Amino acid sequence: ETGVTQSPTHLIKTRGQQVTLRCSSQSGHNTVSWYQQALGQGPQFIFQYYREEENGRGNFPPRFSGLQFPNYSSELNVNALELDDSALYLCASSSQTGQETQYFGPGTRLLVL
Amino acid sequence: AQSVTQLGSHVSVSEGALVLLRCNYSSSVPPYLFWYVQYPNQGLQLLLKYTTGATLVKGINGFEAEFKKSETSFHLTKPSAHMSDAAEYFCAVSNYGQNFVFGPGTRLSVLP
């Protein structure tokens, strides 16, 4: 059984640029959630995708967008990067069968200069 | 709306001592409750979860937590701390497995 994987592990961008982060869900999971974890804080929910449709969104602006593919992998896109977007971005997968547990990937650390 | 508070951003214990990390939640529906651990530069690893049934939940690495509805608490305990337990611990609440809300975390230090 393959766990949740994320790429890249680290990324440096400059303000105003765009970035795409990728996530492969755990085998058998059809739901992917994305979180932003700023330094010294808990993860904040960005959005969730279930069977290629957005299935809930946290308090993040529209420049944070996502996709889920037929194989349930997912992308997080962030446009017009701001300095405050510097954080660890975590992807978690789960299965929509009730009593779901979210299994997390190792994260992508984004630094915006 | 759901929320989680974790009392104490930093807890220090001696090796072999009791570990107690506090978590209180608020939820408008019966909650699912989780504890995750995060080691430096890594993602989150599930320690244990409560969904329904027995209120005392046992997890990995000797940790356990008790769901107390009347106190809206889900405190994490371990009888004897080990150096390898030093990490950041997050409590989370969700409604039936969706819309996870995490607390701010508690950093556990274990002193020799």
Side-chain angles (χ1 to χ4, degrees):
Chain A
E1 184 179 89
T2 306
V4 179
T5 60
Q6 293 186 243
S7 63
T9 55
H10 295 82
L11 204 51
I12 300 175
K13 292 286 189 178
T14 56
R15 201 169 40 178
Q17 285 188 311
Q18 178 266 342
V19 69
T20 297
L21 310 181
R22 295 178 175 82
C23 170
S24 291
S25 59
Q26 185 166 312
S27 175
H29 288 179
N30 55 17
T31 302
V32 171
S33 303
W34 285 93
Y35 294 84
Q36 180 194 67
Q37 185 180 19
L39 202 59
Q41 297 182 25
Q44 299 291 314
F45 174 68
I46 303 175
F47 44 56
Q48 182 183 83
Y49 277 82
Y50 170 60
R51 291 185 175 179
E52 304 179 57
E53 296 287 334
E54 189 176 288
N55 184 42
R57 188 179 182 94
N59 189 26
F60 281 81
R63 60 190 185 84
F64 285 79
S65 62
L67 281 174
Q68 188 179 30
F69 301 98
N71 67 354
Y72 304 127
S73 65
S74 177
E75 286 184 354
L76 164 65
N77 299 290
V78 187
N79 293 320
L81 284 166
E82 301 177 0
L83 298 180
D84 285 348
D85 295 333
S86 295
L88 180 67
Y89 288 85
L90 295 165
C91 166
S93 75
S94 58
S95 60
Q96 288 281 357
T97 58
Q99 300 189 357
E100 299 90 352
T101 296
Q102 296 199 349
Y103 294 90
F104 285 79
T108 293
R109 187 162 297 281
L110 173 65
L111 177 61
V112 182
L113 301 175
Chain B
Q2 298 168 290
S3 66
V4 175
T5 56
Q6 293 183 238
L7 186 63
S9 59
H10 185 204
V11 170
S12 291
V13 300
S14 297
E15 191 173 19
L18 171 72
V19 175
L20 171 60
L21 304 182
R22 300 179 186 275
C23 171
N24 288 89
Y25 69 91
S26 103
S27 178
S28 56
V29 299
Y32 287 6
L33 295 159
F34 304 79
W35 275 99
Y36 284 86
V37 61
Q38 186 177 35
Y39 297 98
N41 300 312
Q42 294 187 27
L44 278 68
Q45 179 184 5
L46 178 69
L47 278 178
L48 48 80
K49 67 177 181 180
Y50 168 80
T51 54
T52 58
T55 56
L56 181 63
V57 180
K58 295 186 184 299
I60 62 171
N61 301 337
F63 285 95
E64 63 181 37
E66 186 171 11
F67 169 58
K68 292 187 176 180
K69 184 178 178 180
S70 61
E71 299 177 8
T72 61
S73 69
F74 191 58
H75 302 330
L76 181 70
T77 60
K78 181 174 180 177
S80 176
H82 191 271
M83 298 296 288
S84 61
D85 294 327
E88 190 87 20
Y89 291 80
F90 293 96
C91 181
V93 63
S94 79
N95 55 337
Y96 306 117
Q98 300 188 22
N99 300 329
F100 275 62
V101 175
F102 284 83
T106 296
R107 183 162 58 93
L108 175 66
S109 296
V110 182
L111 308 174

